[in-house]
Amino acid sequence: MRLERELLAKNTRLAADNRRAAARDRLSIFNLIGSPGAGKTAILEALVRRLRGEIPVAVLEGDQATDNDARRIEGAGCPVVQINTGTGCHLDASMIERGLAALSPPRGSVVFVENVGNLVCPALFDLGERAKIVVMSVTEGEDKPLKYPHVFRAAEVLVLTKTDLAAHVDFDETRCLAHAREIAGPALDVLRTSAKRGEGIDELASWIRRRATAEIPA
Amino acid sequence: MEDLIAAVTDEVGDAQVHAVRVVVGPRACASPAALRFCFDVCARGTPLEGATLDIVEGVGEELRLREVEVT
């Protein structure tokens, strides 16, 4: 029996459902993607502290194992649900659907999804988010955007992290941004941050606020 | 894997499955080796138990159930 049935179609369908539910509940979901150790959790801790007084914020944390990151986010002071994927290398739309049901964020919330540390697979799996945010540290090398073009093209903003370490690793920021724009085009926003020094967090918070309150396309 | 098994049983119900052919592209984020490893275990207790899994190389991100043979 010849079928030709797409197995990934289910994720695409569920992501569309998530997107509709988010629009209905006025949730702005942001999907943070980056290598393990890029600084996703540290940036989220700083961002949560910065935003929580102004708008309701919640987080879905993705890791293969442990709830270490969820505990850190709890410390930053917002509701969080940990998703453990076991052997899975990326979050998918059905995990987000279940996570949102557990989180039950109030209307108007910004929901940050911290994806599993991985620059490859998360680019392929729509979660129903408002935007993808690619997180990359200065320790990862200027040519990262060239080596992982799919995620840089899919993202709306590049958050460069650990700028306090740039001098120690001879990171050429100009070259890195040139590569990123070469791959992703001029529309890619770039924000430079150091969670350790508290730098760039205000700008990132502004970006989030602007993107969260932008018109939802019909 | 659960999606694959569900996709098969959706189509054939309770009929005993003899063989399954799946197309996996290099960017599908599903390694053929992992699929083979999981298949026998996950198929136990389902109509796919004992079926042969045939994996065909596809293009790009495709991940498709191509063919099912029932006994």
Side-chain angles (χ1 to χ4, degrees), chain A residues 1-8 10-11 89-90 118 120-122 124-125 150, chain B residues 3-4 6-7 10-12 22 27-29 61 63-69:
Chain A
M1 183 189 306
R2 191 142 176 126
L3 295 172
E4 301 294 349
R5 181 168 153 163
E6 288 293 339
L7 293 172
L8 287 180
K10 186 175 168 193
N11 188 76
C89 56
H90 59 272
N118 183 347
V120 177
C121 310
L124 304 178
F125 289 86
H150 304 283
Chain B
D3 285 351
L4 169 58
D10 268 359
E11 295 290 342
V12 306
V22 175
R27 289 205 324 258
C29 208
E61 296 157 13
L63 180 61
R64 189 175 315 134
L65 172 60
R66 166 154 290 166
E67 215 166 318
V68 175
E69 268 178 49

Side-chain angles (χ1 to χ4, degrees), chain A residues 37 43 53 73 77 87 105 108 112-113 136 141 160 165 173 183 201 212:
Chain A
I43 279 298
I73 299 295
T87 54
F112 294 110
V113 174
M136 174 197 153
L160 194 60
L165 294 179
E173 186 180 303
I183 290 297
I201 305 303

Side-chain angles (χ1 to χ4, degrees), chain A residues 53-77:
Chain A
E54 307 169 13
I55 43 180
V57 182
V59 174
L60 287 177
E61 268 294 338
D63 287 292
Q64 287 193 307
T66 81
D67 63 353
N68 292 358
D69 286 354
R71 289 184 187 285
R72 285 171 61 179
I73 299 295
E74 260 168 14

